[in-house]
Each structure stands twice: as C-alpha cells, then as structure tokens.
Amino acid sequence: MKFGSQLIHGYSSFCPNTGASSTPIFQASTYHQPDIDCKGKYGYSRMENPTREALEEAIANMEGGSNGFAFASGMAAITAVFMLFEQGDHLVICEDVYGGTFQLATRIMPKFGIEATFVDATDLDAMEKAIRPNTKAIYLETPSNPTLRITDVRKASTLAKKYDLLTIIDNTFMTPYYQRPFELGADIIIHSATKFINGHSDVVAGLVVTKTKELGEQVGFIQINCGSVLGIQDCWLTLRGLKTLKARMDHSVKSAGIIAEWLSERPEVKKVYYPGLETHEGYEIHQEQASSSGAVLSFDVGSKEQVKKLFDAVKIGIVAISLGGVESIYSYPAQMSHASMTKEERDKLGITEGLIRLSVGLEDTEDILDNLEQAFAQF
Ligand SMILES: *Cc1c(COP(=O)(O)O)cnc(C)c1O
C-alpha cells in the first residue's frame, strides 16, 4: 500500500464491531472486568484505550516502526524519550534544537544528572568530538527550526552506531510522508503532532515511534507510569487530521516552493531559507534523504520594524507560534520559538531581528503572493 492509502486504510481505521467508518471515541477511564482472574485486553485508560491504540498503530505503521505512543504534547513525547536515560548519561544534541527541547535538556534534565552538549550537527567532526565515554544518544532535527539547516541522517546514525549510541530524530517538519528516519538509521522518531500530523491548529499532541520492540517496551513503560498520555478526544481528532496528511502536504509544499522562489526575487528580502532552493546549504543532502522540501520556509526582511509592517499588513494567514496548520502561519522566531536564547546565540544561528518563519497553509497560492505583495508595498 502506498502512503496515501496507508493513511486511510493502514491501521484499525474503522470499528470492527459496528462497521462505523471512523474509530469510535472510547470515552472511558476504565473497563468492567467480568472475571478478575482473566483480565481482558483493556484494563485502565492510562494504560490502554482503543482510540489511542488506533492512533499509535497508525503512526507506527506510517513510520515503519515496531511501536507507537501518543502523548499529551510534543514536549511530553520528548520528555518520555529523555526518561530512557539515567544519572550520569550524556546526550549530543543539535544546537538549533526546538526551544522547549533546549529548555528541557539544559534546565530540567541536569537535575537528574543527565547532561547534554549542543553541536552544529551539519559538522560531523564536531559531533564526533562531542561524544564522551558516557554519551548515550545523538538527538537531531532536520530540517531544523527556523533556518532549515540540514543534517545528514545516514552519516550521523552511522557515527552513532560506531559508538553504540541511539539516534533520535524529531521528524515534525517532514512527517513520515516525506522523510523516513528508520530507513536512514534512526532508532526513535518523535513528532509534535500538534503540527502537520493533526494539521488543523486545534490539538496539542505528541507521538513517539520506536524501531525495535525492545525500545518500544521501555518507552511504553515510561508512558504508562509517567502518565502524560494523550486524551481520548484529541486522539480521535489527531486520527482525523492524519487521514488528510498527504492531500494537505501536497498542496502546501507546492505553494511553499512557489513562494520561496518568489521571495528570492524580492528586493525587500535579504535571504530566503528553504531546502528546495538549490542555493540552500545542505540542499543535496536533503533532496537525497527526503522526498520533498516541506511547507516551512524562513526569510529575512532586515529589521524588526519591517517585520512589524509585514505582520500588520498580512491578512491571509495568522501571526502565531506553531506551524503545520491549514492556515498559513507567520512566526517571529526571535521573540517566539527562540526567545529563551540570548541574542548572541540567536545571531550565531542566523535568527536575526528581521527573520520571519512562514508555514504555508492551504490557501490559494496566488492569494498568499498577492497578500505578501501588498505587504511589501508598505515597506
Ligand atoms: C512544536 C514542536 C515541538 C513541541 O511540540 P508541542 O506539541 O508544542 O509540545 C517539538 N519539536 C518541534 C520541531 C516542534 O515544531
């Protein structure tokens, strides 16, 4: 089955008891036990729930992994994965990692004796130099946020294997439709399903997929005992969103490519970051390891003043934190996703005062371009 069909039919997508065309919302915290000596499949909803199970089965199948897990947010998913490690362990993490992950790794995990070193993951030597005797994993995002830097996942996971480390990938930007980290050597995949997977800016959710049953057992144990499971209603909404992932991404990506080219020609724009532009650093690696350039791009308009003018003039789309919705989302990384970094750290990563991130939604491309054109006229 190809990916688009898999999204509709590649898991328990209808009710086996009634034939209902969508997985029912099993809004129950517990299950009657007819015989206490013979426990049924379902005992208590933190541990197992059929609606959550359908979503977990779906994402495991999409990514080609052994087990899937649904969490209350992307950060809850990432936290559960970090719980695999113990006091004295060390992680190597890409320096432009998601802001919440950065806070978790620098402000919370050290309390439990788990340390991290942040490296430029596009530089394999730097990554190797950061590995210590107690290092247990390499943690990556590619393309990264917000300047869409590209890490060679095959090379990074080969390096990880040489030192017996896990390779963990946050695949939120690409989704399993476009990037298949297990095929590139990863061991654990994480998603903020809040973004493209749910896709409608109406749910906060996280997913984890493990490559092996052994890792699956470990994450499963953490999931049910740390307990940050995704609520049943949100499991259902995420399943519903997932069904149209391909149709949504096909549209948004096509638009994003046109918009990125168009922005590259504009005198008001200093620089465009988009993995589909041949001039983008890591373009060839990305095209080789992913099947699309994605629906997120960033561009620099030079100053905060210009950003404010553009945001004031934008009528198609919203100005917000987040990405991957049906509506185009304009973000201001310097004061949103990367506000917790110092200006120096941001400058090093190219997150300037003039940088805007655009997650392209499902509006007509022409409307987005016309809207940007009239916004630039305000400059
Ligand atoms: C949004 C995001 C997260 C965090 O997910 P939440 O669902 O907001 O907790 C993690 N990684 C990436 C790449 C994200 O974009």
Side-chain angles (χ1 to χ4, degrees), residues 54 90-91 153-154 182 329 360:
H90 171 258
L91 312 175
V153 180
R154 258 194 209 97
F182 289 144
I329 301 179
V360 180

Side-chain angles (χ1 to χ4, degrees), residues 1-41:
M1 220 187 302
K2 289 209 166 65
F3 192 78
S5 314
Q6 213 185 355
L7 286 171
I8 316 294
H9 301 291
Y11 52 98
S12 316
S13 52
F14 68 96
C15 175
N17 297 329
T18 62
S21 59
S22 87
T23 304
I25 302 172
F26 283 93
Q27 193 71 46
S29 61
T30 192
Y31 307 81
H32 172 62
Q33 309 290 323
D35 177 353
I36 56 165
D37 288 326
C38 181
K39 183 185 170 290
K41 188 174 175 202

